[in-house]
Amino acid sequence: MYDVIVVGGGNAALCAALAAAEFAKKILVLERAPEEESGGNSRFTAGLMRIVYNGVEDLKTLIDLSDDEVARTDFGAYTAEQFLDDMARVTEYRCDPDLTELLVKESLPAVQWMRSKGVRFTAAWGRQAFNVGGRFKFWGGLTLEAVGGGPGLVDSLTQIARKNGIEIWYSARALSLLNDDQGVHGVRVRKAGKTAEVKGKCVVLAAGGFQANPEWRTRYLGPGWELAKVRGTRFNTGDAIRMALDAGAAATGNWSGCHAVAWERNAPEFGDLAIGDQFQKHSYPWGVYLNAQGRRFVDEGADFRNYTYAKYGRVILSQPLQFAWQIFDAKVKGQLRDEYRIRQVTKVVAGSLEELVKKLDDVDSETALKELRAYNAAVRQDIPFNPNVKDGRRTEGLAIPKSNWANTLDTPPFEAYAVTCGITFTFGGLKINNHAQVMSSDGEPIPGLYAAGELVGGIFWFNYPGGSGLTNGAVFGRIAGENAGKKATAAA
Ligand SMILES: Cc1cc2nc3c(=O)[nH]c(=O)nc-3n(C[C@H](O)[C@H](O)[C@H](O)COP(=O)(O)OP(=O)(O)OC[C@H]3O[C@@H](n4cnc5c(N)ncnc54)[C@H](O)[C@@H]3O)c2cc1C
């Protein structure tokens, strides 16, 4: 008999297991993936975590910063008010107020707790800060990054879990919950082709969303979603959501919503750990999008990339043939993110716009050329370009405006990158309370059942502030593990 069984092997699950181990002795982690693919979506991330910090002093509790680094960087601050505002705004005021408050309030303590366990962090100079006039400035509220990115984070949490005596079974797929009128008492598991019942006093579900399940995607997100590529793990097929619903749990949140981004058009069906997150193409604020009809279709500069990228995958999916080209000129080439320089890109280069539009596969080149010329003519060139702020350098008079960072496309060579929709994770899921207990559809907590991470519904709707997923898993994984550990010990 285990004290706590954790279903899942990603960030939320491992944080839950570590928190449980502070209060209980026998902890088991069930990871569906084999060891080399373990760690779920968490392993695919850059390890970026959105946290509240009131200045560099808070960051110094997490990162070893040299005086020189402090001197040449404007870390700014990211206050609880800003995080709350960002959550409310991007979720169109739908985010669960209690869970969101906990997410924000516990964000810094959760990563400090991870640090105290041995997880190491750095600052995300590479992707979240621009160097203007010799000084780096963090622009998007997202400063913290796990050392080694997602793989570093998962490997570190796994090692720490092992050191804390936590048992981990790989290739162990949870199939259903063992439950009765008194609550949950364990998990039915299939491991190495054999199904067994594993008893536990409490169970924490942290097995991700249902994005890798094309049938559920089409059923809940809507027709056409089977055509999206999965950015991360192939193992998050909604198992734990289904297990909990079968045991009487309440479904909540944005079941037709998900996090989805611009992703290499010819990427494989699921994520590839050798490439990680590099199929993504997040520099669109510096260029323009064109669809198969040769038309722009979205405001590429509506907001900082951290606040638009997660909803633009859906917009791309809804274009004819589910793809688009991102177009840049030589002026911004140096500003394109590292992911534009991998070998596995669908890219064309040309010396003129006339030549470029002819090279864009599947695009009406005549309309494309007209569209690019109309865009160029509409740019307010009198407003200076500044990537660190919403600079208001915009177009005027276009049906689809570009509200910031509107540079003319006038300096060859021109480059274009083909993208489609890559789904990251689904937003709908299980209803939990402030103790991360799973709520039943009758409105009571299900005794012995907790949940954290991607499979919790009600927090993210329509959109998502970049870097909140790992924080969400850490905060609620920690709460779930702690409460499960305490309950298991009290039951002994
Ligand atoms: C390419 C990419 C980049 C990203 N970048 C970032 C970033 O930089 N910052 C950020 O905050 N977020 C990022 N995200 C989102 C982030 O990955 C997720 O929000 C977060 O990792 C979810 O953590 P989790 O522990 O809930 O789920 P996961 O990490 O996905 O873990 C779920 C686990 O459950 C296991 N599992 C599934 N079914 C079963 C079963 N039946 N039995 C047992 N185990 C099961 C899976 O194998 C997996 O180990 C990114 C996602 C992707 C795909």
Side-chain angles (χ1 to χ4, degrees):
M1 164 79 87
Y2 288 91
D3 289 325
V4 178
I5 301 174
V6 180
V7 179
N11 175 60
L14 294 168
C15 286
L18 282 171
E22 291 179 353
F23 300 93
K25 280 206 170 63
K26 284 199 71 179
I27 319 290
L28 173 65
V29 169
L30 298 173
E31 163 60 297
R32 179 180 170 190
E35 187 165 357
E36 61 281 9
E37 286 182 85
S38 66
N41 268 356
S42 304
R43 191 182 280 284
F44 282 86
T45 70
L48 285 161
M49 296 183 77
R50 182 170 293 264
I51 56 155
V52 167
Y53 64 96
N54 289 309
V56 71
E57 292 310 315
D58 281 343
L59 294 175
K60 281 184 178 170
T61 65
L62 300 161
I63 311 171
D64 297 327
L65 288 169
S66 69
D67 291 346
D68 180 48
E69 284 167 334
V70 173
R72 65 184 164 85
T73 312
D74 178 2
F75 290 104
Y78 188 60
T79 63
E81 290 68 34
Q82 285 173 300
F83 198 169
L84 284 169
D85 278 357
D86 282 342
M87 282 295 296
R89 180 170 48 85
V90 306
T91 65
E92 298 175 24
Y93 302 92
R94 290 278 190 157
C95 57
D96 180 290
D98 294 337
L99 298 182
T100 304
E101 197 182 323
L102 268 178
L103 171 70
V104 170
K105 195 170 94 201
E106 292 301 319
S107 60
L108 178 62
V111 291
Q112 285 170 331
W113 170 80
M114 289 166 83
R115 179 76 198 90
S116 75
K117 298 275 169 202
V119 176
R120 291 171 53 235
F121 295 101
T122 182
W125 278 285
R127 284 182 167 180
Q128 293 288 325
F130 293 117
N131 186 340
V132 174
R135 210 152 180 254
F136 282 92
K137 180 175 162 56
F138 282 87
W139 45 267
L142 187 49
T143 305
L144 192 72
E145 186 179 85
V147 168
L153 175 68
V154 169
D155 290 346
S156 160
L157 286 170
T158 304
Q159 273 173 27
I160 300 165
R162 288 209 174 100
K163 255 193 245 157
N164 280 267
I166 293 164
E167 218 177 303
I168 306 178
W169 294 0
Y170 292 102
S171 303
R173 182 175 187 175
L175 301 174
S176 57
L177 292 168
L178 307 177
N179 66 303
D180 59 21
D181 290 345
Q182 273 66 51
V184 169
H185 309 289
V187 178
R188 196 167 288 105
V189 187
R190 190 162 60 231
K191 184 169 182 283
K194 289 212 173 66
T195 301
E197 292 190 350
V198 185
K199 300 268 166 55
K201 291 176 195 156
C202 293
V203 173
V204 178
L205 300 175
F210 60 83
Q211 62 276 0
N213 181 338
E215 201 258 298
W216 275 35
R217 278 210 307 274
T218 315
R219 193 189 312 184
Y220 295 114
L221 304 182
W225 277 96
E226 71 279 21
L227 304 172
K229 313 259 182 180
V230 176
R231 295 177 68 204
T233 178
R234 62 195 170 97
F235 296 102
N236 290 3
T237 52
D239 282 10
I241 297 177
R242 178 190 42 75
M243 285 160 55
L245 295 181
D246 287 350
T252 194
N254 189 196
W255 274 71
S256 61
C258 66
H259 181 302
V261 310
W263 193 248
E264 160 56 36
R265 188 180 180 193
N266 294 303
E269 188 184 354
F270 298 106
D272 175 348
L273 278 171
I275 307 286
D277 67 1
Q278 303 253 318
F279 283 132
Q280 66 202 11
K281 295 290 167 273
H282 284 348
S283 292
Y284 55 87
W286 319 136
V288 299
Y289 268 122
L290 287 183
N291 67 13
Q293 293 159 334
R295 301 261 185 224
R296 284 182 59 246
F297 54 89
V298 76
D299 182 348
E300 303 89 347
D303 202 336
F304 284 117
R305 150 353 256 180
N306 286 348
Y307 304 109
T308 58
Y309 78 114
K311 61 178 180 178
Y312 281 0
R314 176 183 287 266
V315 181
I316 295 166
L317 190 75
S318 67
Q319 300 309 306
L321 300 177
Q322 305 87 42
F323 84 100
W325 285 92
Q326 295 179 353
I327 297 169
F328 307 98
D329 79 354
K331 292 198 297 297
V332 296
K333 188 174 162 98
Q335 227 165 283
L336 299 188
R337 291 162 55 106
D338 49 350
E339 68 235 19
Y340 286 79
R341 291 183 284 280
I342 64 168
R343 245 182 342 105
Q344 299 83 345
V345 285
T346 305
K347 167 185 177 181
V348 295
V349 182
S352 66
L353 289 180
E354 290 77 2
E355 190 195 341
L356 183 83
V357 294
K358 289 199 191 108
K359 287 187 170 176
L360 302 179
D361 274 352
D362 299 328
V363 171
D364 173 343
S365 54
E366 231 170 86
T367 311
L369 189 59
K370 275 193 213 141
E371 190 83 348
L372 293 178
R373 286 183 174 149
Y375 164 80
N376 274 346
V379 171
R380 282 283 304 270
Q381 298 198 48
D382 53 316
I383 303 170
F385 171 76
N386 181 351
N388 273 331
V389 293
K390 286 206 253 174
D391 62 5
R393 185 182 161 106
R394 61 185 180 277
T395 59
E396 256 167 28
L398 296 181
I400 309 266
K402 183 168 178 190
S403 304
N404 294 285
W405 312 297
N407 283 315
T408 46
L409 293 158
D410 54 20
T411 311
F414 300 95
E415 290 188 351
Y417 296 80
V419 293
T420 184
C421 169
I423 181 169
T424 320
F425 66 93
T426 44
F427 289 158
L430 303 175
K431 188 171 174 61
I432 62 168
N433 65 12
N434 287 359
H435 306 291
Q437 290 175 290
V438 175
M439 304 300 286
S440 78
S441 53
D442 295 323
E444 299 297 323
I446 299 178
L449 190 61
Y450 301 80
E454 251 175 29
L455 50 55
V456 170
I459 299 177
F460 303 116
W461 300 70
F462 311 120
N463 191 7
Y464 155 106
S468 309
L470 290 173
T471 307
N472 177 42
V475 166
F476 290 101
R478 184 182 178 208
I479 294 173
E482 193 175 309
N483 287 313
K486 283 181 184 163
K487 166 104 190 321
T489 313

